[in-house]
Amino acid sequence: MKKLKEILFGLENCESLSIDAKYIGNFSITNVRKSIIRHYGDIRFMDVCDTFSIVVNKNANTDYQVFGVEDEGFKQNTFDRLTSGDIVVVDIVYDDDSKDEVYVHWEGESDYSNEAQKTYISKLGDLFIVISKEETVESIFEDWGIDSQDGYMDLMWRSNQEIL
């Protein structure tokens, strides 16, 4: 069985941002369907999901250099960037470096901001992302006690001692 190595987020501006598996709680990608698209004369096969949801531990919230450019003007905060509403594609990277690439549902008229992306940073500092036409952070995570030290979230993180 494969193990998760990282989740790689592809953003609207062609930037990508990686989250190591040790910082990822539960995640779900549902109703994935294959699309065949002609794009600039080429045929592309794309897996597109209806709903993507993920929990990212607060310890993943660090600064990084956008596009790897070592300049103070290119410094960005991980959670600030992931809450910008422009995740386009998610790559699930496994321990053997194989990957599954899934495009998320895009809603609205904007080419830059996805109305289907909802985010929440809990009182404990963890990031919740839901990208869906139908679902919200509240509808998926309402029973998890996401703002409570005694909720399901605390149990999930305690089971992964590597991040504590």
Side-chain angles (χ1 to χ4, degrees), residues 19-33:
I19 302 291
D20 189 279
K22 69 183 178 184
Y23 299 119
I24 296 170
N26 292 3
F27 78 93
S28 176
I29 300 173
T30 60
N31 298 326
V32 178
R33 62 194 180 286

Side-chain angles (χ1 to χ4, degrees), residues 10-12 14 33-48 88-91 99-104:
L11 308 171
E12 182 279 324
C14 299
R33 62 194 180 286
K34 185 167 292 294
S35 295
I36 303 170
I37 299 169
R38 183 171 185 212
H39 185 70
Y40 294 112
D42 295 328
I43 299 295
R44 296 192 63 188
F45 296 88
M46 298 171 58
D47 291 329
V48 182
V88 175
V89 63
V90 177
D91 288 347
K99 69 178 182 177
D100 286 312
E101 179 180 75
V102 181
Y103 286 82
V104 299

Side-chain angles (χ1 to χ4, degrees), residues 37-109:
I37 299 169
R38 183 171 185 212
H39 185 70
Y40 294 112
D42 295 328
I43 299 295
R44 296 192 63 188
F45 296 88
M46 298 171 58
D47 291 329
V48 182
C49 70
D50 286 341
T51 301
F52 169 79
S53 64
I54 191 168
V55 181
V56 182
N57 184 271
K58 64 184 175 188
N59 293 325
N61 192 17
T62 59
D63 290 337
Y64 71 99
Q65 297 300 131
V66 177
F67 297 116
V69 177
E70 293 296 327
D71 181 274
E72 191 64 29
F74 284 81
K75 185 185 277 187
Q76 178 72 274
N77 177 271
T78 300
F79 283 10
D80 286 347
R81 187 64 185 94
L82 289 176
T83 58
S84 294
D86 66 341
I87 296 171
V88 175
V89 63
V90 177
D91 288 347
I92 301 107
V93 182
Y94 303 100
D95 58 352
D96 65 0
D97 287 325
S98 64
K99 69 178 182 177
D100 286 312
E101 179 180 75
V102 181
Y103 286 82
V104 299
H105 176 77
W106 192 276
E107 190 77 23
E109 297 297 318

Side-chain angles (χ1 to χ4, degrees), residues 139-157:
S139 68
I140 291 181
F141 299 110
E142 66 183 337
D143 297 328
W144 287 35
I146 60 179
D147 286 317
S148 171
Q149 193 69 32
D150 299 322
Y152 174 70
M153 294 308 305
D154 185 57
L155 175 64
M156 181 178 59
W157 297 132

Side-chain angles (χ1 to χ4, degrees), residues 109-125:
E109 297 297 318
S110 174
D111 290 337
Y112 307 106
S113 182
N114 184 358
E115 293 175 13
Q117 182 176 332
K118 298 105 180 167
T119 58
Y120 176 70
I121 298 176
S122 74
K123 293 176 183 172
L124 302 175

